[in-house]
Amino acid sequence: MKNSAKHYSPTPQPENGIAGVPRERNRLAPTELTDPELDDTEDDAGDEADGSASGAMPAQSDMAPLTLEVDSAAHGERLDKLLARHFKEFSRSRIQQWIEDGAVRVDGEPRRAKDAVQMGQRIDIQPQASPETHAFTAEDVPLDVVYEDATLLVIDKPAGLVVHPAAGNWSGTVLNGLLYRYPGSSSLPRAGIVHRLDKETSGLMVVARTLTAQTDLVRQLQARTVKRTYIALVWGQTPDEGTIDAPIGRDPRERTRMAIVHTNSGKPSRTHFRTLATVPLGRSKVSYVECQLETGRTHQIRVHFESIGHPLLGDPVYHKATQRGQRPAIRVPLPVPFTRQALHAYRLGLIHPATGRKISWEAPPPEDLQALIDALDFEGYEGEEDDDGAFDASQYDANGLYIGGGEDEGDDEDDEDDEDDEDDEGDEDDEDDEDDEDDEDDETDGEERDRKVGGKTAGGKKAGGNGRR
């Protein structure tokens, strides 16, 4: 079911390169970057080319004040239109923002953008630096670095932290923190960032520390040798395992969100998953799933699970059934407060750019998600499934895709058919962006079954149905 991976071979390294990189979580002292290659730039996979982090949009100092006296030709003209006409170097929307902020005075008094000016009036303007001018400045943003060497670092991003500056989040991002912690990263595209997580998604990210490493990691993302595994809590009882294969693009009716789009604007998207456990919660159920991405689209896991009627717990955007004839997921109050999507990138694996060795890290769920997992008590539940609520395999195809069916398909709660056949990047949240380029990690098929996932043992929960309680 997987697409064939593109060829990948590590970038040649000198014989005296880094010897051996441990798999376990390590903290090494930061190394100053003096590599002359950092003067070059290289765009990463799927992102816009924007030059170096420092040169794209430098911070501005206070700008010189401006003065204008209204002449007879401008008498009666709107204040914002007059200023936009005279000061063409500034956009009208920027000028309107200055007026609203009180940075524009007419005869010493603040005015509204739509107010008409009078001949002889004096207009004083104190230009303000736009928020985006601070996007590439160093800030002391705390970063949980779980591993670092001279080539790369791995961070455990908390929920609520934006990865890359964008509209509404021009500062306080992972990028700003990288520029503060590693001044040399200012010479790298996006300070070495090669992939993103949604703002409210927690978990592991890799960041390059040299241009050579960044180029190599980008190639790995394209070749799908970077393996990222997520854990998620979703509403309802999911199949034991499956693949969600549905194209994703911008929702043509609501451009701030993504959707399943069966037109040319939808990009091929695949999510592989297996169910670790399912527990009842009131008149609903909650499933604990492990996901791996074969492709990396914005909000991919969230969109895909919503599309099969199993939205993520706490997701404020993707929580409606989207297939015709599909019943909406039953959502009930959670046992503990939880105000974000229940999604965590808990495992990251890649080929080290310097050594060519496979290396991986794991990060346990953050406190809020772990508290929810504990409160749902997946390990403690030993009850039998009710006949009325039992999983009906006939409603899913061989790939785990919802196809409908069942006796009460048309009963009480019909779905709001608002995303079927509808229209990447963005990542921070996103994500954000979940800017992933992963497929299933064949290397982990055996030993991964016996590891613990967020305090819950994944081993023994087999895809054939024995893993359910």
Side-chain angles (χ1 to χ4, degrees), residues 11 77 87 91 124 171 245 289 293 300 359 388 412 420 426 460:
T11 301
E77 189 173 357
F87 303 106
S91 68
D124 295 299
S171 61
D245 189 352
V289 296
L293 304 182
Q300 179 169 320
I359 180 172
D388 292 341
D412 33 39
D420 195 24

Side-chain angles (χ1 to χ4, degrees), residues 229-234 238-241 273-279 286-291 346 373 378-379 381 448-463 465-469:
T229 307
Y230 294 76
I231 54 173
L233 300 178
V234 304
T238 52
D240 291 305
E241 64 179 6
F273 71 91
R274 66 188 183 104
T275 301
L276 304 178
T278 299
V279 296
V286 174
S287 292
Y288 190 177
V289 296
E290 180 184 86
C291 310
Y346 88 93
I373 292 171
F378 288 95
E379 287 190 334
Y381 175 65
E448 287 292 310
R449 305 296 185 185
D450 298 322
R451 70 173 181 270
K452 288 197 178 277
V453 180
K456 311 302 178 191
T457 302
K461 296 182 175 65
K462 298 181 180 179
N466 295 330
R468 290 290 179 80
R469 295 198 191 150

Side-chain angles (χ1 to χ4, degrees), residues 246-249 258-261 265-267 269 297-298 300 303-304:
I248 292 176
M258 311 302 287
I260 302 300
V261 181
S265 60
K267 296 183 179 181
S269 308
R297 310 302 177 204
T298 302
Q300 179 169 320
V303 173
H304 269 173

Side-chain angles (χ1 to χ4, degrees), residues 142-463:
L143 299 176
D144 182 8
V145 178
V146 302
Y147 173 85
E148 63 183 293
D149 59 30
T151 302
L152 57 82
L153 67 145
V154 175
I155 65 172
D156 186 1
K157 186 189 84 68
L161 179 60
V162 175
V163 172
H164 192 279
N169 295 284
W170 291 117
S171 61
T173 69
V174 170
L175 183 144
N176 299 115
L178 291 170
L179 293 174
Y180 180 88
R181 185 181 179 109
Y182 309 104
S185 66
S186 63
S187 299
L188 295 174
R190 287 160 299 283
I193 293 171
V194 295
H195 67 99
R196 309 180 189 184
L197 293 174
D198 287 348
K199 177 180 178 180
E200 297 300 339
T201 297
S202 56
L204 296 173
M205 289 179 52
V206 62
V207 179
R209 296 195 63 191
T210 68
L211 182 62
T212 301
Q214 188 172 27
T215 303
D216 190 277
L217 290 170
V218 168
R219 292 175 62 202
Q220 290 194 51
L221 285 168
Q222 294 170 335
R224 298 171 185 166
T225 58
V226 175
K227 311 295 182 181
R228 277 170 288 172
T229 307
Y230 294 76
I231 54 173
L233 300 178
V234 304
W235 289 109
Q237 183 168 340
T238 52
D240 291 305
E241 64 179 6
T243 293
I244 306 172
D245 189 352
I248 292 176
R250 288 284 176 188
D251 188 331
R253 293 182 291 182
E254 192 175 347
R255 301 295 295 176
T256 58
R257 54 173 280 154
M258 311 302 287
I260 302 300
V261 181
H262 295 288
T263 62
N264 290 338
S265 60
K267 296 183 179 181
S269 308
R270 278 191 174 187
T271 302
H272 306 284
F273 71 91
R274 66 188 183 104
T275 301
L276 304 178
T278 299
V279 296
L281 182 63
R283 64 191 187 96
S284 185
K285 293 183 179 180
V286 174
S287 292
Y288 190 177
V289 296
E290 180 184 86
C291 310
Q292 288 197 347
L293 304 182
E294 185 172 320
T295 56
R297 310 302 177 204
T298 302
H299 303 169
Q300 179 169 320
I301 292 176
R302 299 164 64 191
V303 173
H304 269 173
F305 275 91
E306 179 198 39
S307 74
I308 64 169
H310 298 292
L312 273 63
L313 272 62
D315 197 322
V317 177
Y318 302 102
H319 56 76
K320 298 177 182 178
T322 61
Q323 295 193 29
R324 189 178 303 278
Q326 181 177 310
R327 299 178 65 181
I330 298 175
R331 298 188 299 162
V332 299
L334 297 175
V336 295
F338 196 78
T339 58
R340 66 177 180 93
Q341 63 261 19
L343 184 62
H344 175 67
Y346 88 93
R347 188 174 189 275
L348 172 68
L350 51 83
I351 300 172
H352 195 281
T355 67
R357 298 181 181 180
K358 291 184 178 180
I359 180 172
S360 62
W361 302 266
E362 292 185 5
E367 290 183 4
D368 63 338
L369 182 55
Q370 188 61 59
L372 179 57
I373 292 171
D374 292 341
L376 290 168
D377 195 19
F378 288 95
E379 287 190 334
Y381 175 65
E382 296 180 355
E384 296 294 330
E385 302 289 354
D386 296 332
D387 291 339
D388 292 341
F391 170 67
D392 184 359
S394 67
Q395 297 190 31
Y396 294 82
D397 67 12
N399 290 328
L401 297 177
Y402 183 87
I403 58 175
E407 296 179 357
D408 42 11
E409 174 89 346
D411 284 0
D412 33 39
E413 295 177 296
D414 288 335
D415 70 291
E416 299 175 25
D417 184 26
D418 59 1
E419 278 196 274
D420 195 24
D421 293 326
E422 299 174 0
D423 199 293
D424 136 315
E425 169 63 65
D427 54 345
E428 297 189 37
D429 193 32
D430 95 20
E431 110 240 298
D432 72 25
D433 122 29
E434 296 167 14
D435 195 18
D436 304 298
E437 294 289 345
D438 305 22
D439 56 10
E440 294 193 57
D441 191 346
D442 296 334
E443 180 190 33
T444 63
D445 284 347
E447 65 182 12
E448 287 292 310
R449 305 296 185 185
D450 298 322
R451 70 173 181 270
K452 288 197 178 277
V453 180
K456 311 302 178 191
T457 302
K461 296 182 175 65
K462 298 181 180 179

